Amino acid sequence: MAEAVFHPPRRKRRVFESYEAPFPVDVGGKDFRLCQAEIINNNVIVRNPEDIEQLYNKGYFGKGILSRSRPVFSISDPLLVAKWKGINTNMPIITSQKYQRRVQWAKSVLREQGLDDCSITKILESYTRAQGLPFSRGDGAGDSPQTGDGCTRGGPKAGNAEVSRKPAGTEGAQSAEGQNGGSQEGGEAALDAGSGSRQQEQENSREMAEGSSHRDLCGCEVKQSPEQRAWEGLDSRECAPEYVLVQEEEEGNSCPEDDSTHAQENLVKKEVLVCRKNPFRIFEYLQLSLEEAFFLVYALGCLSIYYGEEPLSIVKLWEVFSEVKPDFKTTYMAYHYFRGKGWVPKVGLKYGTDLLLYRKGPPFYHASYSVIAELVDDNFEGSLRRPLSWMSLSGLNRTTANASKELMLCYLIRPSDMTAEEMATPECMKRIKVQELIVTRWVSSRERSEQDEF
């Protein structure tokens, strides 16, 4: 039998993040945070943005429902952030194409509410017009928005990139006009042209004039002046996605005093960042696999899973997950084993296996192994979950090799005297033994040449 050789994992070329602690726990207990999730349609969902950041950054648990892996749908593109690194703001930076796509989504929602195209156009124009640019607080001059019609230059080259801004005093009036028939509704659509829009417009205008109590974008009731109201809630994490920075192109004349016929040749396209309201706000949640969710509850103790309003115990979760996924016990034992060995297991469905093993995490390395887990007895006998023929094994090995991975068979060996009552609780893993087997292709000519060298 050929001896298995460990191949170092392939490092990814472009990495935009740094490696943090491997698990969302703290030795001293100071930064420990108990996250919360809920079961919806047999899926474990995390809604709180702070919990999402905590779970994914420390261990790469879960997947964003709107992203490939990391939940970055509502976060700026790293390339745009690097390009506009001189802009001190915590608002997402998106492209003009992505912003126009959200405008079209908002337009379709308004059409479903029975509005005509003329009313929809007026609502969207008033709602998506350019706003003043707020800066994140705590950066010196960026503690308060600057006024004036000037531009703050940023980006890689001075003169080639500008940030479009308007006076802060006019932003409050613009936000009031943007509420004509449009308001935030349940985190689904940012615009709602209901029957009570006119009454709400009158109430908002009265509050703007009197400086009375006002509900900000998060629904919190505050009392402030008209100038302060324009910038209320922009530094809050929950309110920041309400305003986005859109990278747009505008044509400008590099020589405005030149009146010759070659003036059109001097036109250059300048990229600007324009602060606009998000016409269609979409919340991205973190979806945990059943193995990841149970590991966070059972092994780390940093997650509490609710069904309705009732938190579920560990034994109850073991029972519920086993009903939802019949082979959950087998796949979780393998997941728990490899997590304990320092690997980052992810779902291997796209390669026809149970797990994919990453070193450190998906942002840094490609997966090294595709794992198939099987639960057997002491004699390596039992009802296999997926019995492999030579043809299916060859095809699976070829698929794995083409993706620069290795196929691993993980056998979970249980004692022959283990009863079903013991398997009903996760304590059965204390008696489980694990044996890995790497499947490789044997090439006769290569093996013969290696023997001849000796």
Side-chain angles (χ1 to χ4, degrees):
M1 178 180 291
E3 183 180 357
V5 179
F6 175 77
H7 299 282
R10 290 194 305 137
R11 183 185 294 270
K12 291 189 175 181
R13 297 180 180 179
R14 299 179 181 179
V15 178
F16 298 100
E17 57 185 279
S18 58
Y19 182 72
E20 297 187 17
F23 295 123
V25 295
D26 187 73
V27 179
K30 298 180 181 179
D31 299 331
F32 179 76
R33 176 186 179 87
L34 182 62
C35 302
Q36 181 175 338
E38 54 186 320
I39 299 179
I40 300 177
N41 295 331
N42 296 333
N43 295 315
V44 182
I45 300 296
V46 181
R47 296 175 179 267
N48 192 345
E50 296 181 357
D51 293 345
I52 293 176
E53 182 180 3
Q54 176 85 355
L55 295 178
Y56 193 86
N57 289 346
K58 295 183 179 180
Y60 303 98
F61 294 93
K63 173 191 176 299
I65 60 174
L66 300 176
S67 305
R68 296 182 58 184
S69 178
R70 186 181 183 89
V72 294
F73 183 83
S74 301
I75 304 177
S76 304
D77 186 358
L79 297 178
L80 291 180
V81 172
K83 182 178 181 179
W84 297 93
K85 57 183 178 181
I87 306 303
N88 298 322
T89 181
N90 56 359
M91 292 188 299
I93 304 177
I94 62 176
T95 59
S96 177
Q97 293 80 3
K98 183 179 292 187
Y99 185 79
Q100 292 300 325
R101 190 182 308 125
R102 300 185 183 186
V103 173
Q104 294 298 325
W105 292 343
K107 184 181 297 185
S108 62
V109 171
L110 293 177
R111 284 202 183 109
E112 293 178 357
Q113 297 177 359
L115 296 179
D116 55 355
D117 293 341
C118 183
S119 301
I120 294 176
T121 303
K122 291 182 179 180
I123 292 173
L124 292 177
E125 286 181 355
S126 62
Y127 194 88
T128 60
R129 65 176 58 181
Q131 308 289 324
L133 180 64
F135 287 88
S136 59
R137 297 176 183 175
D139 294 335
D143 291 345
S144 61
Q146 303 176 3
T147 58
D149 294 327
C151 295
T152 300
R153 296 186 178 273
K157 295 182 181 180
N160 293 336
E162 296 180 351
V163 177
S164 167
R165 296 194 306 161
K166 291 191 176 183
T170 63
E171 204 280 340
Q174 293 174 357
S175 62
E177 294 175 4
Q179 294 177 353
N180 288 338
S183 61
Q184 199 72 21
E185 173 102 19
E188 292 282 339
L191 298 178
D192 182 16
S195 59
S197 59
R198 295 185 179 179
Q199 297 178 358
Q200 185 177 1
E201 176 186 358
Q202 296 175 359
E203 293 177 0
N204 292 339
S205 61
R206 190 184 310 113
E207 292 175 358
M208 291 290 290
E210 297 176 359
S212 59
S213 63
H214 173 70
R215 287 190 177 272
D216 61 1
L217 294 174
C218 292
C220 304
E221 190 168 341
V222 293
K223 192 171 184 179
Q224 55 189 0
S225 62
E227 292 78 13
Q228 294 174 341
R229 185 179 297 110
W231 306 99
E232 176 63 29
L234 291 182
D235 289 334
S236 175
R237 289 182 61 92
E238 297 180 358
C239 297
E242 284 289 331
Y243 291 84
V244 294
L245 294 178
V246 185
Q247 179 178 286
E248 300 178 354
E249 292 183 354
E250 66 174 11
E251 293 184 355
N253 194 345
S254 60
C255 300
E257 68 280 355
D258 188 8
D259 296 335
S260 63
T261 57
H262 301 285
Q264 295 183 352
E265 299 179 358
N266 296 327
L267 291 177
V268 294
K269 291 184 178 181
K270 293 185 294 184
E271 293 179 345
V272 296
L273 287 182
V274 182
C275 179
R276 299 183 185 275
K277 288 185 179 180
N278 186 2
F280 195 91
R281 188 180 184 187
I282 299 179
F283 293 92
E284 183 172 28
Y285 305 136
L286 186 71
Q287 181 175 357
L288 299 173
S289 66
L290 300 183
E291 293 81 9
E292 292 173 331
F294 195 83
F295 183 83
L296 292 170
V297 175
Y298 174 71
L300 301 183
C302 62
L303 182 68
S304 179
I305 301 178
Y306 286 75
Y307 182 72
E309 297 182 356
E310 178 185 0
L312 302 180
S313 62
I314 294 178
V315 178
K316 186 64 176 178
L317 285 174
W318 183 264
E319 178 183 353
V320 171
F321 288 170
S322 299
E323 293 179 358
V324 174
K325 186 178 180 181
D327 56 349
F328 167 75
K329 297 177 182 179
T330 303
T331 55
Y332 177 74
M333 291 178 187
Y335 182 93
H336 190 104
Y337 173 77
F338 288 113
R339 267 288 185 182
K341 293 294 184 179
W343 293 95
V344 179
K346 305 296 287 187
V347 178
L349 182 61
K350 60 183 177 181
Y351 293 106
T353 57
D354 298 322
L355 298 174
L356 295 176
L357 300 185
Y358 292 86
R359 181 179 183 269
K360 294 178 66 174
F364 307 99
Y365 293 92
H366 295 278
S368 300
Y369 299 98
S370 297
V371 182
I372 294 179
E374 292 287 358
L375 183 62
V376 297
D377 57 9
D378 294 338
N379 298 323
F380 282 83
E381 296 179 354
S383 57
L384 298 180
R385 296 173 44 250
R386 46 185 307 172
L388 298 175
S389 62
W390 285 111
M391 184 177 297
S392 60
L393 181 60
S394 176
L396 187 60
N397 189 32
R398 176 64 64 89
T399 302
T400 305
N402 290 341
S404 300
K405 298 172 178 53
E406 290 186 278
L407 181 61
M408 178 187 297
L409 301 180
C410 178
Y411 289 101
L412 304 164
I413 308 172
R414 67 174 184 177
S416 300
D417 58 348
M418 180 175 288
T419 61
E421 288 76 12
E422 295 183 62
M423 293 290 295
T425 62
E427 295 299 317
C428 65
M429 290 190 295
K430 296 180 179 179
R431 302 184 61 188
I432 298 295
K433 298 181 181 179
V434 183
Q435 181 174 347
E436 307 102 330
L437 178 64
I438 297 179
V439 180
T440 58
R441 183 185 177 191
W442 183 72
V443 182
S444 59
S445 60
R446 184 175 59 187
E447 296 292 333
R448 186 169 55 250
S449 63
E450 292 179 356
Q451 295 293 333
D452 295 341
E453 293 178 359
F454 294 103

